[in-house]
Amino acid sequence: MSVSRVINDNPSVKAETRARVIKAIAKIGYAPNDAARMLKGRSGRTIGLVVPDLSDYFASCFHAIQKVAIQHNYQTLVVATEESRQWKIVSLNLSGIIASRDC
């Protein structure tokens, strides 16, 4: 239980315990599982990008967005959809959505 409290920055964890847990986390190379966080109803630190197509313009936009997202420990998800089709990504529990109809 202490590991979860340390990862979630619970203030009730003693400093000594927090230090031991952080050391163990670093030793084994632990990283939180975003899929598990999303199943629990938390944001998975993922940003969705909805574009009409994967042309060079939107591909370069996605690349720039992804570069910044990675710097801030976010993942990206791109969905290319024709305007006439409906898309449903709200249920994915994303941290945010960037949508563009055309350039």
Side-chain angles (χ1 to χ4, degrees), residues 10 15 17 19 21 24 30 38 40 42 61 63 71 73-74 86 90 95 99 102:
N10 186 310
T17 302
V21 170
Y30 171 82
M38 287 173 65
K40 193 166 180 177
R42 296 185 191 161
C61 288
H63 179 70
Q71 291 172 351
N73 296 318
Y74 278 81
Q86 294 203 0
V90 175
S95 299
D102 51 46

Side-chain angles (χ1 to χ4, degrees), residues 12-76:
S12 69
V13 179
K14 295 178 185 176
E16 180 183 324
T17 302
R18 184 177 305 278
R20 283 197 328 262
V21 170
I22 289 171
K23 184 178 179 180
I25 287 171
K27 183 177 180 180
I28 65 170
Y30 171 82
N33 184 314
D34 282 338
R37 292 174 79 88
M38 287 173 65
L39 286 173
K40 193 166 180 177
R42 296 185 191 161
S43 169
R45 296 192 63 86
T46 302
I47 298 172
L49 175 62
V50 181
V51 296
D53 59 61
L54 293 175
S55 65
D56 288 342
Y57 174 78
F58 289 114
S60 65
C61 288
F62 175 69
H63 179 70
I65 291 167
Q66 184 178 39
K67 186 176 180 179
V68 173
I70 289 169
Q71 291 172 351
H72 295 277
N73 296 318
Y74 278 81
Q75 297 179 36
T76 52

